[in-house]
Amino acid sequence: MTEASILFLRACLALLATPVYLLSFLGIWEPFCKKVFFPFCLDKLSFIHERKAKKHKQELFRNLPDFTSPSGELKLLEIGTGFGTNFQFYPSGCKVTCSDINPNFQQGLVKNMNENQHIHYESFLVAAGEDLHQVPSGSMDAVVSTLVLCSVHNMEGTIKEVLRVLRPGGAFFFLEHVADDPSSWRYFWQQVCYPTWKLVFCGCCLTREPWKNMEEAKFSEVKLKHVSIPLPWTPIQPHIVGYAIK
């Protein structure tokens, strides 16, 4: 009964989103979404999410200086930098390499760079999380990912790349929205919304469980906790936050 209900409600939602599905079929939606719609939505949602997630980020990134290299430098790679909303939490003097598969966040990114002159910006790479070949192996003290693992094409490949670019003893910092408890109503609605949400929001998946991938990866230690960060009128509330040490 539940599976039939999910399929029925998915069909209803797809019907409401018919124009988007039609534009996708014609090959128009994806470039429009990447260049205009998704950056616009991310800008609006980021403002709300940042306000609710601020205390979690402050607590998380307070640990970044612990991973400064023996040379005294802290070299950090951020995957899916977006508008650069994490810059404010990084310690003074750290050297940041930004990367994103979508290069259409420039205006907001430049604004945040100008407002956060306490850190050094090394470069911006147009790259997917699962293909960071432009970053040398073992060259980073820390890698950061916030609200990114939901939309990477290959979760295992992304985590493998994170491990490759980190030096031994370096750490992967993350804050990601995830699947809810399978017995919950929110998980039911995550399943209902999944196909249309993924299409509308540039590949964002609502039902991923990245903590399982991290626990299976070759990290020496994984420190994470499940927290609740609700975004009004969305099926996004459960998150994981923490870091994993190579």
Side-chain angles (χ1 to χ4, degrees):
M1 179 63 181
T2 301
E3 188 172 339
S5 300
I6 289 170
L7 292 174
F8 173 73
L9 290 169
R10 278 183 176 179
C12 292
L13 192 58
L15 189 62
L16 290 172
T18 297
V20 176
Y21 279 91
L22 179 60
L23 290 172
S24 178
F25 176 75
L26 296 173
I28 298 170
W29 176 253
E30 186 176 353
F32 171 76
C33 183
K34 284 184 176 180
K35 190 168 184 178
V36 179
F37 182 78
F38 187 61
F40 173 80
C41 289
L42 187 63
D43 184 34
K44 303 306 177 187
L45 286 174
S46 290
F47 177 78
I48 301 170
H49 189 272
E50 281 303 304
R51 193 175 66 230
K52 294 177 178 289
K54 187 172 184 178
K55 65 177 182 179
H56 297 294
K57 286 191 175 184
Q58 286 174 330
E59 181 183 348
L60 173 65
F61 293 129
R62 195 175 293 134
N63 298 299
L64 271 171
D66 295 342
F67 297 94
T68 301
S69 68
S71 67
E73 288 186 335
L74 178 63
K75 298 188 73 174
L76 184 153
L77 167 69
E78 182 167 353
I79 301 173
T81 305
F83 293 115
T85 54
N86 292 326
F87 295 161
Q88 61 184 303
F89 302 105
Y90 295 161
S92 294
C94 78
K95 297 184 175 181
V96 179
T97 298
C98 306
S99 72
D100 205 298
I101 195 172
N102 187 345
N104 296 300
F105 299 108
Q106 188 170 358
Q107 187 174 350
L109 180 63
V110 170
K111 178 178 179 290
N112 275 310
M113 290 173 74
N114 290 335
E115 290 177 356
N116 292 278
Q117 294 293 325
H118 65 288
I119 55 181
H120 300 293
Y121 301 99
E122 298 284 275
S123 59
F124 180 88
L125 311 174
V126 178
E130 54 270 69
D131 183 12
L132 299 169
H133 68 273
Q134 300 169 77
V135 183
S137 299
S139 63
M140 294 293 161
D141 302 302
V143 176
V144 171
S145 159
T146 60
L147 305 184
V148 173
L149 296 182
C150 59
S151 56
V152 295
H153 296 302
N154 185 322
M155 180 83 72
E156 292 79 8
T158 298
I159 293 176
K160 186 177 179 181
E161 278 289 81
V162 167
L163 279 164
R164 180 185 66 79
V165 303
L166 279 173
R167 64 167 175 81
F172 175 39
F173 287 75
F174 51 85
L175 187 153
E176 301 285 344
H177 74 80
V178 297
D180 211 323
D181 186 299
S183 64
S184 68
W185 270 109
R186 187 171 288 107
Y187 184 73
F188 172 83
W189 286 109
Q190 284 179 330
Q191 289 182 297
V192 168
C193 296
Y194 180 89
T196 299
W197 184 278
K198 184 177 181 181
L199 174 64
V200 172
F201 293 105
C202 235
C204 176
C205 299
L206 293 168
T207 57
R208 286 188 173 173
E209 301 172 322
W211 67 89
K212 294 183 179 179
N213 301 88
M214 292 182 205
E215 289 166 355
E216 292 169 1
K218 296 179 180 178
F219 289 106
S220 62
E221 187 177 3
V222 178
K223 295 184 177 183
L224 69 80
K225 61 182 178 179
H226 292 255
V227 299
S228 176
I229 305 175
L231 279 177
W233 305 104
T234 76
I236 295 174
Q237 180 163 329
H239 288 64
I240 56 169
V241 58
Y243 59 93
I245 303 172
K246 179 175 176 179

